[in-house]
Amino acid sequence: PMRTRSYAGLNPQQYEPQDNGCLEVVRGSHARTGGLIGRMFVPLNETETMGLKWEPLEAHPGDLVFFDAWAPHRSAPNLGSTARRNTYVTFNRKIYGDHREEYYADKFRSLPPDADRLAGVDYEYKV
């Protein structure tokens, strides 16, 4: 896994309202002191997120949303009538090395696209 500062970018392919499970972020988390909220490469639990104020970020096609990949972010389940269609990119500064192959192989192993999932396997994203 990427152990360096990395960034994520979101480009929605359609309007992403709250009922579609839009991206949710914690405003001002970049200014928080004390390091990471939880443990590196472990999803945040309810205790760690208690007190955080999650804000929906409803994005439209053509919007570009960039954020530090370590900033608290999530998406609620899609309860809308359309599939969620987003393009995400993840990148880090060149001085931290080339982790592209490793990152995407890790991502595919832990959370493959629906079409590539095996029946009976419980997939969970490993941060």
Side-chain angles (χ1 to χ4, degrees), residues 19-79:
D19 71 338
N20 196 253
C22 66
L23 181 68
E24 296 177 357
V25 296
V26 178
R27 185 186 305 265
S29 61
H30 68 287
R32 182 183 177 281
T33 58
L36 294 175
I37 290 174
R39 294 168 289 148
M40 192 175 280
F41 302 112
V42 177
L44 296 174
N45 61 43
E46 286 185 32
T47 301
E48 293 164 333
T49 59
M50 193 180 313
L52 295 180
K53 185 177 180 222
W54 294 97
E55 296 184 31
L57 202 159
E58 294 186 340
H60 298 265
D63 289 348
L64 294 173
V65 179
F66 290 96
F67 55 96
D68 185 311
W70 298 113
H73 61 283
R74 67 183 186 187
S75 294
N78 183 354
L79 303 176

Side-chain angles (χ1 to χ4, degrees), residues 66-119:
F66 290 96
F67 55 96
D68 185 311
W70 298 113
H73 61 283
R74 67 183 186 187
S75 294
N78 183 354
L79 303 176
S81 60
T82 60
R84 202 173 10 208
R85 298 183 312 149
N86 295 313
T87 301
Y88 279 94
V89 294
T90 304
F91 56 96
N92 62 274
R93 292 180 58 193
K94 186 175 181 177
I95 62 170
Y96 295 123
D98 183 353
H99 301 279
R100 182 177 173 18
E101 295 298 323
E102 176 187 13
Y103 175 82
Y104 284 105
D106 235 18
K107 184 88 150 177
F108 187 87
R109 236 184 338 274
S110 64
L111 195 65
D114 291 346
D116 293 314
R117 293 183 183 194
L118 302 173

